[in-house]
Amino acid sequence: LDVKSNRRLGSKQGIKDIKHHRWLRSFDWDSLSNLTYPSPYQPDINKDRFDIRGEDVKKSIKSHLLPSSLTPEEQLCFSNYE
C-alpha cells in the first residue's frame, strides 16, 4: 500500500500491472473471466440440505467470510490514504 496514488499497483498500466505482479502472476485469470474458477467455499450438499436455520451451516459460512469492518486501531493505519 502506498499513500501516493501514482505509485499504487495498477496506476501505471492498469490491469496489466496487477496480472504481472509476482504474487498474482500464476493466477488463472482466464478461468476467472470465463466464470469457471472454483469457488473458495464449497458447501456440503449432504449436510442440512442448505437449511440456513441450522447452526452448523451458519458457523460454516461465517468461518469463510472476512471481517465486515475494521477496528478503530486498524482504521488509523489508513487515515493518510486518498
Side-chain angles (χ1 to χ4, degrees):
L1 295 176
D2 202 316
V3 175
K4 297 183 179 183
S5 60
N6 64 339
R7 292 176 37 189
R8 293 181 190 160
L9 184 61
S11 66
K12 305 238 185 315
Q13 295 182 340
I15 192 67
K16 287 182 184 180
D17 289 343
I18 296 168
K19 286 184 174 183
H20 293 101
H21 187 275
R22 64 185 171 129
W23 289 355
L24 301 170
R25 198 174 299 147
S26 63
F27 185 80
D28 187 1
W29 293 100
D30 290 331
S31 68
L32 182 66
S33 66
N34 294 332
L35 304 177
T36 57
Y37 194 81
S39 170
Y41 174 68
Q42 298 283 333
D44 184 356
I45 61 171
N46 296 318
K47 187 176 183 182
D48 293 330
R49 302 298 294 166
F50 296 109
D51 182 3
I52 61 170
R53 293 173 293 174
E55 289 302 314
D56 290 341
V57 173
K58 290 178 185 176
K59 287 178 186 174
S60 178
I61 291 171
K62 281 185 177 180
S63 69
H64 289 84
L65 297 177
L66 296 174
S68 60
S69 62
L70 299 174
T71 65
E73 293 83 16
E74 292 170 329
Q75 188 63 43
L76 280 175
C77 296
F78 298 99
S79 61
N80 292 329
Y81 286 84
E82 296 173 359

